[in-house]
Amino acid sequence: MIFGYARVSTDEQNLDMQLDALNRYGAEKIYKEKMTGTRKDRPQLEELLKVLRKGDKVVVYKLDRISRSTKHLIELSEQFNELDVDFISISDNIDTSTAMGKFFFRMMASIAELERDIISERTKSGLEAARARGRMGGRPSKQSEKVETALKMYKSKDHTIREITEATSLSKTTLYRYLNKIE
C-alpha cells in the first residue's frame, strides 16, 4: 500500500499543495498533520508508523515534512528499512526502492554515526582533561552543614518540610534525596 504523509506547522497553513502531489503519486491513504515538526509527539506520524507492513511505501512531498532533524530522518529511514518499507520524497527525488535512494540513506546513516562517535570522543576527552586538572563533573554538592541542619530539623519532628527548606535553602527534592540515603 502507498501511504502519504503531509504536514504543515500551523493551523493557518494549507496542506493542498502536498496533498495534490501525494495524490498524483498514487497515495492510497494520506496522514495529515498540522503541528510543528519540532514536536516529538506527532499522533498522525505515530499512527502511520503503526500500520506499515512489508512492501508498503511511505511518500512525502519533501523530507522536512516528515522529519524534525537529520537524526530523526535517519531513525525513520532505519525503521523503514527494518520493516522493508520503501520511502519516497517527491521534491527531493529520493526513492529507497532504487539503488541510488538506498545509497543516499546509507550515506546519511554513516554520516550520523560518525557525528555521534566524534561527539562522544570529544566529550570523553573533555572529561579526562577536566579530571586531570582536578575538576569533577556533575552537580555541585550542597553545603554539608546545611544538609546536617536540615536532617536534624527533620528528625526533631518540630518543623514542617516547608520550614526546613526555607531555613536551609535546600529544595524539597534535595532534602528527600538525603533523607532516603539515611533510611
Side-chain angles (χ1 to χ4, degrees), residues 57-69:
K57 289 184 179 189
V58 174
V59 184
V60 295
Y61 178 70
K62 240 181 137 177
L63 287 176
D64 66 354
R65 300 296 85 204
I66 197 166
S67 66
R68 54 185 202 283
S69 65

Side-chain angles (χ1 to χ4, degrees), residues 63-81:
L63 287 176
D64 66 354
R65 300 296 85 204
I66 197 166
S67 66
R68 54 185 202 283
S69 65
T70 304
K71 181 181 182 240
H72 185 236
L73 181 60
I74 290 167
E75 289 169 358
L76 287 171
S77 68
E78 288 170 353
Q79 193 171 355
F80 295 152
N81 190 41

